[in-house]
Amino acid sequence: MLKVGDKLPQFEGINQDGETINSEKLLGKKLVIFFYPQASTPTCTVEACNLSDNYSELEKAGFQLLGISGDSVKKQKNFHSKFSFPYDLMADENRDVIEKFGVWKEKKTFGKTYMGIVRTTFIFDENGICTRVIEKVTSKTAAAQILEG
């Protein structure tokens, strides 16, 4: 998994509107990249809405946000539209970015073991250096966890 001190991996992907997101263009501002297992599921919705509800505070602190999951552009679009998120959601169906960040891992739910995205938030400085990794994301207080750092 990507850790504190690591450089932002180079990546390119498609957002909810079909536009290209390039990691190079994200430099110059503090950056929060949050990975979530699946669009429109209860816990992911709580997390994304918490970040949206506190977006102005995050912006005041100098952060830009990007959410990434393995969902299709269409699913990201529906999720984004339904809740009018003020930040981009990126579709990573091939898991290229998910793998680069190291958040595709073995998970266990109700005794069943499977591979999936582990909910994780990465914070980068203006130069693309990772300053914090939040591995135990609390969906209801995701924005506060970012701001307390």
Side-chain angles (χ1 to χ4, degrees):
M1 184 184 298
L2 206 72
K3 54 192 181 310
V4 171
D6 287 348
K7 193 151 180 48
L8 177 68
Q10 287 193 338
F11 65 85
E12 202 170 86
I14 306 296
N15 75 0
Q16 71 283 344
D17 297 321
E19 300 164 348
T20 299
I21 292 177
N22 182 310
S23 57
E24 302 272 311
K25 293 181 183 157
L26 298 172
L27 297 174
K29 244 180 137 181
K30 289 191 283 186
L31 173 65
V32 172
I33 297 182
F34 66 100
F35 287 89
Y36 57 97
Q38 193 175 0
S40 300
T41 54
T43 307
C44 295
T45 300
V46 168
E47 178 185 12
C49 287
N50 176 267
L51 293 171
S52 182
D53 294 345
N54 294 284
Y55 187 72
S56 60
E57 244 182 287
L58 291 162
E59 237 185 353
K60 271 186 220 145
F63 292 111
Q64 58 182 326
L65 272 70
L66 174 63
I68 302 176
S69 73
D71 293 302
S72 66
V73 172
K74 184 176 190 245
K75 275 191 89 174
Q76 298 290 36
K77 174 77 174 166
N78 292 343
F79 190 37
H80 193 273
S81 297
K82 184 175 181 179
F83 296 99
S84 303
F85 296 133
Y87 49 79
D88 281 334
L89 299 177
M90 193 177 100
D92 188 22
E93 289 183 272
N94 297 329
R95 296 197 306 264
D96 295 339
V97 182
I98 292 163
E99 298 273 2
K100 281 183 180 182
F101 278 77
V103 295
W104 185 256
K105 295 184 172 182
E106 191 174 276
K107 298 169 75 173
K108 274 187 182 172
T109 307
F110 305 115
K112 184 180 159 214
T113 303
Y114 60 98
M115 294 300 287
I117 295 173
V118 176
R119 185 181 317 280
T120 312
T121 299
F122 296 88
I123 302 172
F124 296 89
D125 67 13
E126 298 82 351
N127 301 311
I129 303 300
C130 184
T131 57
R132 232 170 113 218
V133 178
I134 304 170
E135 290 186 65
K136 299 218 181 306
V137 176
T138 308
S139 296
K140 291 178 183 161
T141 58
Q145 283 184 292
I146 292 164
L147 291 166
E148 77 190 12

